[in-house]
Amino acid sequence: RAGEIAARLGYRVFAAGGVVRDILLKAGNLDIDLVVEGDGIALAEALAGAYGAQVRAHRKFGTAEVLFPDGFKVDVATARVEFYEYPAALPRVESSCVRHDLYRRDFTINAMAVDLNGEHFGDLIDFFGGRQDLQQGLIRVLYNLSFIEDPIRLLRAVRFEQRYGFKIESQTLKLVQEAVRREVLARVSAERLWEELKHILMEERAGRMLERLHQLGIWPFAFHGVTYWEVQPVLHDLGESMQLLEEWGFPPVNEPWLCYFIAALHWTDPETARSLCERYHLNKRQTGKVLATLANWRPVLSRLCLRDGVRTSELARALLLLPPEAHPLILTLLDEEWLKERFRQLLVLLREKPTVDGTYIKNLGYRPGPIFRRALDAVWRARLDGLVKNTEEEKAFVQEF
Ligand code: CTP
C-alpha cells in the first residue's frame, strides 16, 4: 500500500537498509525503513491515516515513525534533496535522490533498496554491489572517509561481521586500522558510543564481537581502563552459560546486555567500574548490580567451590548478594561439572519459598515485629538445609521458634 499512497501524493517510496539485507539473507527483521522521494512526513501521515496508526514526526530531520496499533513500527525518511540543486542531474533527479540517500550509508550490504512503486514494485536497487558482497560475506564501506565521518561505524562493522559470520573486506579493514590509529572514536559522544555498544552486548554473538573489538584496537575506547585479557575467557563462554541457564528452565533476565557488561567489568576495580557506569548513564539500580557483583563474586565462588562443611543456607545467603545478571558469570567461572550442578540445584532451591509466611505467624496470635523476620529467615534456612521438608514441618518449626 505504501507505493499506492505515495503515487497519489506524487512521490516515490522505497524500502531501504537493514530490511533489504535481511530479506536477501532470509533472516528475520521486523524493522522497516522507508525512504521517500517527496515529503516523508506527509507520506507517514497518509500511511497512518489509512491504517489507523499514530505518527511521531521529527520535522527538523524530515523523518517520522509510524506506530501501528499492533506494535509494528515503520520508520519513514525523506530522501535528501540536494540533488535538485545540481542542474546537470535534473533529468534523473528522482532516482538520484534515493541513490544519494543510499550512498550516505555505512556498508554496501546496508545500502540497497527495494522499489515499492507501481510496475517497478519489488525491483532491487543496488548501486554499490551490496548483493554481491552479501553473497561473498563482505563488509565494505562505500567511500574512504566513512569511518572518519562516522566513527560509530567501526563498531557496526564488527557487529555485522560477527553477526553474519562475514569478513571485513581488505581495503575496508585498512580504513578501520587507519581510523583506529587516528583515534577517531575519542571524539564520539559517550551517548552514541553506548547506544552502539549496547546493541553489541544484546547480540547473540556478543562475546565474539567483543573479542574482535579487542583485536582491532577498539576495546580501550569502549571499556576504558578495563584489561581485555583478564576477562577474555569469561566473555568467550558467557553466551553458552546464558543458554544453559535457559535450558535449565530459569527465565531470561530483562536486560541481557547487563550480563555481558557485568562480565566485562568483574575483574576491574570499583572506581573504574563506577566511572564507566556513569559515563554510559547506567541508572542507580543497574550500577548497584555491577558494583554488588564486583564486591561479591569472589566470596560466592570460593564458598561454592568448598567440597565439605558449607551449609546450603550459607551458600544461598551469599548468592543472594549477587543480581541474577551475574549468574551467567558465576556459571562460566565454575569449571567442573559437579560445581555447575551444585549451582543449578542452589538456584532451584532459591526459587522455592517456604509456604509459611507472615500471615501464618500472625494467625498464631503474635503481633508483627522483628521476630517475624527472624522466624521466617530461620524457617527459610532450615528448609534449604533440609531440616524441614514440607509445610507441616515448617509450621511445627515456626511454633517452636
Ligand atoms: N546507518 C548508517 N550509519 C550508522 C547507522 C545507521 O549508515 N552509523 C544506516 C544503515 O544503512 C542502516 C540504517 O541506517 O541499514 C538503519 O540503521 P539501524 O536501524 O541501526 O540498522 P539496521 O541495518 O536495521 O541493523 P539492525 O539489524 O541491527 O537493526
Side-chain angles (χ1 to χ4, degrees), residues 41-302:
I41 295 176
L43 180 84
E45 278 162 356
L47 201 58
Y51 288 97
Q54 298 283 320
V55 175
R56 213 184 290 151
H58 312 277
R59 301 209 176 263
K60 199 168 136 201
F61 302 106
T63 61
E65 289 157 71
V66 184
L67 308 158
F68 290 86
D70 56 0
F72 189 63
K73 194 184 89 176
V74 172
D75 286 321
V76 184
T78 304
R80 284 254 180 123
V81 290
E82 279 99 309
F83 268 86
Y84 284 113
E85 294 163 13
Y86 288 84
L90 268 177
R92 297 189 308 130
V93 72
E94 295 205 322
S95 66
S96 303
C97 273
V98 71
R99 183 189 169 105
H100 189 224
D101 186 276
L102 295 172
Y103 187 63
R104 288 184 300 129
R105 292 175 184 247
D106 49 3
F107 309 116
T108 57
I109 60 164
N110 289 338
M112 290 179 280
V114 170
D115 201 320
L116 301 179
N117 309 289
E119 63 194 50
H120 293 292
F121 186 91
D123 288 357
L124 181 69
I125 297 175
D126 178 16
F127 294 116
F128 314 109
R131 188 177 205 170
Q132 194 180 345
D133 284 341
L134 263 190
Q135 278 160 354
Q136 297 183 349
L138 292 174
I139 306 295
R140 187 198 306 266
V141 286
L142 281 83
Y143 51 96
N144 287 354
L145 286 177
S146 192
F147 295 121
I148 309 288
E149 268 177 21
D150 184 0
I152 286 298
R153 291 176 173 171
L154 292 165
L155 281 81
R156 290 174 64 87
V158 166
R159 183 153 70 88
F160 291 118
E161 182 198 49
Q162 296 303 314
R163 182 202 278 176
Y164 300 121
F166 283 9
K167 280 259 153 310
I168 298 178
E169 176 274 331
S170 66
Q171 178 59 23
T172 299
L173 187 63
K174 286 197 186 114
L175 297 171
V176 167
Q177 289 158 343
E178 165 76 9
V180 172
R181 206 169 40 244
R182 288 172 62 175
E183 303 194 350
V184 291
L185 274 165
R187 57 179 167 81
V188 170
S189 73
E191 282 75 12
R192 284 203 71 211
L193 187 58
W194 176 240
E195 193 188 334
E196 187 52 39
L197 196 57
K198 203 165 154 187
H199 268 123
I200 288 185
L201 301 181
M202 285 195 284
E203 292 268 350
E204 206 178 307
R205 300 188 192 178
R208 285 193 221 172
M209 294 176 189
L210 294 173
E211 179 160 16
R212 193 76 171 118
L213 291 185
H214 162 73
Q215 280 173 0
L216 294 171
I218 298 169
W219 173 273
F221 295 98
F223 291 100
H224 185 72
V226 181
T227 313
Y228 176 74
W229 285 115
E230 289 171 346
V231 291
Q232 189 267 342
V234 162
L235 292 178
H236 185 269
D237 294 339
L238 200 78
E240 231 169 84
S241 298
M242 288 166 78
Q243 213 177 325
L244 191 56
L245 283 164
E246 230 177 295
E247 279 166 29
W248 284 344
F250 298 107
V253 291
N254 290 336
E255 296 168 316
W257 59 266
L258 195 49
C259 299
Y260 270 100
F261 195 72
I262 281 176
L265 264 56
H266 80 281
W267 202 263
T268 191
D269 59 284
E271 287 71 41
T272 305
R274 189 186 284 280
S275 79
L276 273 175
C277 291
E278 265 175 35
R279 180 167 185 231
Y280 292 140
H281 297 295
L282 265 65
N283 63 30
K284 228 169 143 185
R285 181 182 52 80
Q286 293 158 342
T287 305
K289 288 181 176 192
V290 173
L291 297 177
T293 307
L294 258 63
N296 296 302
W297 72 266
R298 285 185 181 84
V300 170
L301 202 68
S302 55

